[in-house]
Amino acid sequence: MFNVKSDGRKKAQLVAKGFTQIEGIDFDQIFSPVVRFETVQLMFALATLENWHIAALDVRNAYLYGKLEEEIYMEQPEGFVAKGQETKVYRLLRALYGLKQAGRAWWLTLDESMSKLGFKRTQKDAGIFVYKKKGTRLIAIVYVDDALFCGPDKVLVEKVKAAFMKKWECRDLGEVKEFLGMRVKRNGLAIELDQTVYLDKVLERYGMTNTKAT
C-alpha cells in the first residue's frame, strides 16, 4: 500500500489481506478504543487556560508492535519470495497492517507500556493517560500512533516523552503543529485550531479545488 502524508512524505507499507481472515479462527475481538474528538478539544482548552507545554510525536509502524494471540500465517510477499523456499509461509508473531485485530493488539501493548511508564488510563476515555509525580500532573493523549504530552512543567513533559521514545521507534514532532487533521497554532497564550489541510484534501478529492466561494 502506498500513501502520501500531509507533509509530503511518501510511505509504503506491507499490508495483510485481512478480508481473508475467518472469525473465531484467525481473530476474535477486534475493537480498539481511541480518544474521543471532544476530549481532545477539551484538552486543548485546558492547555490554553493553564498555559501548558504540548509536545507531539508519532510512533513509526505502531501496529507492528502488537502481540498476536492467534496463530496466523501469511504468504511470502510478492517480489520478496526466498529462493528455494517458494512453498513456505510466514507465521506472524506480531500484528501487521490489514489484520482485523491489529489495532486492538497495538492498543493492548501500548496500554501495558504506559502503565510501566507511570501513567494511569482514565476510565471515561481510553485514549487519555495521566501521570502524577510530586504534585505535578502530566497528560498524554494517544490516538492510535499519534501522541501528545501536555503539562505545566516543560522539563517533565520532555523527560517523559523521551522515556516513551526509548520504548518505541518514534518521530519527534517537537511542539505540536498538527493533530488528527487539525492545524494547531499558538498565538500568545491562545491556541488556535483549524482544519484547513483536511478541507483542502476533501476539495481535491471531489475536484472542487477551483470552485468559487459564494
Side-chain angles (χ1 to χ4, degrees):
M1 184 180 74
F2 302 94
N3 188 25
V4 179
K5 308 294 284 186
S6 59
D7 58 5
R9 289 180 299 123
K10 295 181 179 179
K11 191 172 185 179
Q13 290 179 323
L14 173 62
V15 180
K17 297 177 180 178
F19 58 84
T20 64
Q21 290 182 269
I22 301 174
E23 185 174 2
I25 298 178
D26 299 316
F27 68 93
D28 183 14
Q29 299 184 58
I30 62 174
F31 176 72
S32 175
V34 294
V35 65
R36 297 174 57 188
F37 195 76
E38 296 86 351
T39 305
V40 175
Q41 292 177 313
L42 178 62
M43 289 296 102
F44 274 120
L46 184 60
T48 301
L49 291 172
E50 301 294 333
N51 192 28
W52 283 358
H53 175 67
I54 308 177
L57 59 82
D58 68 51
V59 182
R60 297 182 187 273
N61 303 312
Y63 281 9
L64 304 186
Y65 292 109
K67 300 175 183 178
L68 291 176
E69 299 175 351
E70 302 82 5
E71 188 171 320
I72 299 178
Y73 296 90
M74 184 186 75
E75 294 178 351
Q76 297 182 58
E78 183 178 349
F80 294 90
V81 178
K83 291 184 178 180
Q85 304 183 60
E86 291 82 2
T87 60
K88 292 186 177 181
V89 295
Y90 291 121
R91 179 183 176 185
L92 300 180
L93 301 179
R94 299 276 180 168
L96 193 66
Y97 285 86
L99 291 179
K100 294 184 181 296
Q101 69 267 53
R104 179 176 177 79
W106 158 241
W107 185 83
L108 291 173
T109 304
L110 172 70
D111 186 40
E112 180 183 352
S113 172
M114 294 297 281
S115 179
K116 291 181 180 179
L117 288 174
F119 283 90
K120 185 176 181 180
R121 175 167 47 86
T122 62
Q123 296 298 316
K124 297 296 184 181
D125 197 315
I128 300 294
F129 299 84
V130 181
Y131 177 95
K132 295 181 181 179
K133 184 176 182 181
K134 297 180 180 179
T136 301
R137 179 175 298 179
L138 185 155
I139 295 177
I141 307 170
V142 183
Y143 186 93
V144 189
D145 56 357
D146 294 315
L148 298 179
F149 290 83
C150 325
D153 188 339
K154 181 177 179 180
V155 175
L156 179 62
V157 169
E158 294 295 336
K159 180 180 179 180
V160 174
K161 186 183 77 168
F164 181 92
M165 294 178 67
K166 285 184 178 180
K167 179 66 177 178
W168 316 108
E169 183 182 353
C170 302
R171 189 165 65 101
D172 190 348
L173 303 176
E175 190 170 352
V176 61
K177 296 291 189 302
E178 183 180 346
F179 191 66
L180 302 185
M182 296 184 295
R183 186 171 59 177
V184 183
K185 183 179 180 181
R186 261 212 142 105
N187 187 7
L189 297 178
I191 296 178
E192 299 175 356
L193 306 176
D194 69 61
Q195 291 185 288
T196 303
V197 176
Y198 171 73
L199 292 174
D200 286 341
K201 286 185 177 180
V202 172
L203 291 173
E204 183 179 353
R205 182 186 308 165
Y206 293 99
M208 299 178 65
T209 52
N210 296 321
T211 302
K212 294 183 180 180
T214 57

